[in-house]
Amino acid sequence: MEGAACCSTSTSVEKRKQRQNQEKPYRGIRMRKWGKWVAEIREPNKRSRIWLGSYTTPVAAARAYDTAVFYLRGPSARLNFPDLIFQEDDDELRDISAASIRKKATEVGARVDALQTARALHASQPKPSRVSETPDLNEYPGPENSDEE
């Protein structure tokens, strides 16, 4: 009996992890009902959270989270994109407030969101057909292309 209970518990844990991976592709973010991705992080040794913003792409929300967690916990933090974090002077890391962490994280998230959105728009637009020559609209028509004939 104990073996059967053990196996059913482990499969339910596995299913829950799979569902979480589908819903939350990155740490520190979640998706709203209407499709926006939001990021927030809990302040160390406090019950309050730092709101990091609302973004159209999960990558932008994850980058905002990475920025905040790096400033809160330092180089040992678990990041979504460890190779993309920009390390600044150590003096800035020592004395940083929740407001300045929020500001830095939202700047990074907004920049990434704009780049991701621009890439998506550029990829979805059809390629323009090549026009041999663009007419100069400031030029008077010459006799060869006049419509008075």
Side-chain angles (χ1 to χ4, degrees):
M1 280 265 233
E2 289 177 16
C6 174
C7 294
S8 65
T9 305
S10 66
T11 56
S12 65
V13 170
E14 290 172 9
K15 287 180 182 179
R16 185 176 31 179
K17 284 184 180 181
Q18 286 177 343
R19 189 174 65 236
Q20 277 183 337
N21 288 340
Q22 290 171 353
E23 293 171 4
K24 292 172 58 172
Y26 301 107
R27 297 177 61 82
I29 69 169
R30 61 189 163 89
M31 191 169 104
R32 296 256 191 221
K33 291 177 190 175
W34 50 89
K36 287 276 193 172
W37 292 89
V38 297
E40 60 187 353
I41 189 168
R42 188 177 298 277
E43 290 185 73
N45 304 321
K46 294 183 181 178
R47 295 183 71 180
S48 59
R49 294 175 183 241
I50 301 173
W51 179 253
L52 304 175
S54 178
Y55 305 97
T56 55
T57 62
V59 173
R63 292 285 306 276
Y65 172 82
D66 279 2
T67 303
V69 77
F70 180 77
Y71 282 113
L72 284 172
R73 296 189 175 92
S76 63
R78 291 179 62 189
L79 304 172
N80 295 306
F81 305 102
D83 53 332
L84 297 178
I85 199 73
F86 176 69
Q87 295 185 12
E88 294 181 4
D89 297 331
D90 287 337
D91 295 336
E92 249 184 80
L93 287 176
R94 287 188 199 128
D95 185 33
I96 196 156
S97 66
S100 58
I101 289 172
R102 180 184 302 116
K103 181 181 176 191
K104 287 182 181 290
T106 54
E107 286 173 359
V108 170
R111 193 175 330 121
V112 172
D113 207 15
L115 287 172
Q116 292 281 321
T117 305
R119 284 184 189 152
L121 286 175
H122 182 69
S124 67
Q125 289 179 349
K127 303 265 186 208
S129 60
R130 291 209 97 161
V131 177
S132 60
E133 188 177 314
T134 308
D136 185 7
L137 300 176
N138 294 324
E139 185 179 308
Y140 285 108
E144 67 274 356
N145 56 1
S146 176
D147 292 337
E148 295 178 12
E149 295 178 11

